[in-house]
């Protein structure tokens, strides 16, 4: 998201979030939704904490605290898939053609993806604990198709598995957008319900081992979450969203997050959080539209949200590089663990700023030069999901 878009504050109008929203104007004049950018950073931070936990930085009491706070951090991927569907639908242009949409997506994600792939390849050639991919694995990762084959899902930069899911969503979105434009409020609500039901069915299938391998990284299995986000966005656009307000939705999302350890790990954990996330995202959007109080659109939080894609793409590479120095699962005491985590976080954030300013923004401007610019007021539709934990981490 560009800084201009992210910091724009919607006009202050006092209206309860539970009341029907007014119909939103066409995409060229839709207001920005900075609260969604702020929430994006919170989700990215949860995933960072999850990977710190998985690499065993903390032992004893610190380890137990990390398990409690971040053991469910993989649910952040579901948040990002739902958010992606919502924001893409929000910013969709009725007269847009599929090739133009796909090119904007490539311009948004591919430059940073290629740079982090190069970083991961360099690490695999120089660091002792980094496995070198085969040519086929490397090409699949570069082309973002590796998540379709489970043995390859975390080659090179492990977090890019979720980018492969997003690439599939982008491919399907023009058809989904066409469908949504033909649906009214009831049809959109029905589509949202079908999406939730699909997640529940797939979670049950995963928990009962109906499949030969896990579907948590399989792009087609994650599509219902994306469609759910798109359907809720359509309801907001039609002025027919009837969900709870921001505080109640946040409470439901938090409750679901802490219920995750009670279910089978992997895809079934999505069932705990999907309702809370599907309510929280449109509630935050409605808060921005109606000028209601929202912690998530504070300037610094929005700025961090702008860096969240680059942060997501680079943070696990930093953690893995640190493992060559710290060793696998060092289990530090609380003070030392906090110090090491702060250093790794600072390095990840610094690199994410560099990637954003030196790669992401200039590359996007270059690739989109001469093309019709995106509407100045629309939110950046690149809500890319943080990774679930790497296998064995």
């Amino acid at each position: 998201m560009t800084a201009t878009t992210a910091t724009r504050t919607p006009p202050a109008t006092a209206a309860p979030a539970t009341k029907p929203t007014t119909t939103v104007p066409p995409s060229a004049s839709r207001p920005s939704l900075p609260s969604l950018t702020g929430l994006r950073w919170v989700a990215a931070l949860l995933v960072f904490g999850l990977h710190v936990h998985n690499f065993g930085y903390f032992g004893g009491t610190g380890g137990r605290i990390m398990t409690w706070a971040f053991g469910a951090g993989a649910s952040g991927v579901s948040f990002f898939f739902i958010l992606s569907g919502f924001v893409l639908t929000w910013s969709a242009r009725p007269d847009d053609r599929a090739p133009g949409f796909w090119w904007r997506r490539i311009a948004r994600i591919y430059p940073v993806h290629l740079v982090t792939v190069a970083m991961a390849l360099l690490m695999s050639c120089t660091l002792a604990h980094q496995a070198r991919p085969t040519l086929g694995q490397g090409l699949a990762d570069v082309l973002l198709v590796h998540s379709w084959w489970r043995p390859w899902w975390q080659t090179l930069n492990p977090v890019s598995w979720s980018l492969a899911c997003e690439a599939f969503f982008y491919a399907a979105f023009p058809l989904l957008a066409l469908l949504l434009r033909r649906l009214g409020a009831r049809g959109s609500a029905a589509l949202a319900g079908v999406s939730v039901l699909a997640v529940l069915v797939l979670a049950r299938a995963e928990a009962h081992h109906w499949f030969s391998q896990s579907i948590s990284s399989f792009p087609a299995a994650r599509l219902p979450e994306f469609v759910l986000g798109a359907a809720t966005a359509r309801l907001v656009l039609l002025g027919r969203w009837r969900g709870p307000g921001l505080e109640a939705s946040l409470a439901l999302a938090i409750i679901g997050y802490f219920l995750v350890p009670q279910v089978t790990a992997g895809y079934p954990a999505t069932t705990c959080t999907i309702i809370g996330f599907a309510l929280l995202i449109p509630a935050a959007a409605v808060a921005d539209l109606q000028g209601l109080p929202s912690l998530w659109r504070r300037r610094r939080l929005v700025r961090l949200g702008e860096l969240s894609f680059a942060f997501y793409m680079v943070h696990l590479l930093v953690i893995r590089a640190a493992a060559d120095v710290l060793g696998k699962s060092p289990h530090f005491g609380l003070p030392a663990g906090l110090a090491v985590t702060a250093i790794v976080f600072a390095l990840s954030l610094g690199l994410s700023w560099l990637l954003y300013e030196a790669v992401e923004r200039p590359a996007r401007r270059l690739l989109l030069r001469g093309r019709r610019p995106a509407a100045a007021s629309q939110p950046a539709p690149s809500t890319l999901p943080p990774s679930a934990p790497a296998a064995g981490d």
Side-chain angles (χ1 to χ4, degrees):
M1 177 178 286
T2 62
T4 301
T5 299
T7 56
R8 178 177 174 180
T9 303
T13 57
T18 53
K19 288 188 177 181
T21 59
T22 56
T23 303
V24 178
S27 60
S29 54
R30 288 173 194 163
S32 64
L33 303 174
S35 289
L36 299 187
T37 308
L39 281 169
R40 185 148 55 108
W41 170 252
V42 175
L45 194 61
L46 288 176
V47 176
F48 172 81
L50 170 70
H51 287 132
V52 168
H53 164 263
N54 289 347
F55 272 79
Y57 281 15
F58 293 86
T61 301
R64 289 190 291 272
I65 293 173
M66 291 294 291
T67 299
W68 173 81
F70 297 108
S75 62
V77 74
S78 182
F79 179 89
F80 275 79
F81 287 157
I82 297 170
L83 181 62
S84 182
F86 188 99
V87 177
L88 285 178
T89 302
W90 178 263
S91 59
R93 305 165 176 175
D95 61 341
D96 201 9
R97 295 181 179 273
F101 167 78
W102 290 328
W103 183 251
R104 291 196 301 275
R105 298 295 84 230
I106 290 172
R108 180 60 179 88
I109 70 170
Y110 221 72
V112 172
H113 169 56
L114 289 180
V115 170
T116 52
V117 163
M119 293 171 61
L121 185 60
L122 178 63
M123 288 172 57
S124 71
C125 295
T126 57
L127 299 182
H129 297 94
Q130 308 302 315
R132 295 187 184 184
T134 65
L135 178 60
Q137 289 173 329
L139 287 176
D141 190 296
V142 169
L143 297 175
L144 293 177
V145 295
H146 55 299
S147 285
W148 292 94
W149 176 239
R150 179 71 181 185
W152 289 2
W153 74 297
Q154 289 195 320
T155 53
L156 288 174
N157 187 7
V159 301
S160 65
W161 75 265
S162 51
L163 218 57
C165 292
E166 286 284 343
F168 173 61
F169 302 160
Y170 297 161
F173 182 74
L175 286 177
L176 176 60
L178 180 63
L179 172 64
L180 287 170
R181 283 196 292 270
R182 295 176 181 272
L183 291 178
R186 290 185 178 179
S188 299
L191 182 61
V194 169
S195 300
V196 172
L197 181 61
V199 169
L200 296 177
V201 171
L202 288 169
R204 180 175 177 81
E206 170 93 339
H208 289 80
H209 308 291
W210 293 0
F211 306 111
S212 59
Q213 56 189 15
S214 173
I215 61 171
S216 60
S217 62
F218 190 61
R222 308 313 297 251
L223 183 63
E225 296 151 86
F226 177 81
V227 174
L228 175 60
T232 56
R234 181 63 176 164
L235 289 170
V236 174
L237 286 168
L238 293 172
R240 299 293 296 275
W241 176 252
R242 299 293 188 272
L246 186 55
E247 293 82 3
S249 299
L250 178 62
L252 289 172
I254 292 173
I255 291 170
Y257 178 83
F258 285 107
L259 285 176
V260 167
Q262 308 305 315
V263 302
T264 304
Y267 192 94
T270 307
T271 61
C272 297
T273 56
I274 189 167
I275 297 299
F277 291 164
L279 294 175
L280 176 61
I281 290 167
V286 169
D288 285 347
L289 291 172
Q290 298 183 343
L292 300 174
S294 173
L295 165 68
W296 315 110
R297 62 171 173 262
R298 292 187 177 182
R299 181 173 298 180
R300 290 183 180 177
L301 199 57
V302 170
R303 175 57 176 169
L304 289 169
E306 292 173 350
L307 303 179
S308 62
F309 173 47
F311 181 84
Y312 140 72
M313 291 296 291
V314 79
H315 80 276
L316 191 52
L317 296 179
V318 174
I319 292 175
R320 284 193 158 191
D324 266 38
V325 178
L326 304 173
K328 186 72 172 180
S329 299
H331 294 301
F332 296 118
L334 190 57
L338 288 173
V340 170
T341 300
I343 293 171
V344 170
F345 174 80
L347 288 172
S348 300
L349 187 60
L351 283 173
S352 67
W353 176 84
L354 187 62
L355 279 173
Y356 179 75
E357 294 293 345
V359 177
E360 184 177 333
R361 292 182 66 190
R364 185 166 68 243
R365 286 196 297 266
L366 178 65
L367 292 172
L368 296 180
R369 181 176 298 170
R371 291 178 173 264
R372 184 175 55 153
S377 62
Q378 72 185 38
S382 59
T383 47
L384 300 171
S387 161
D393 289 348

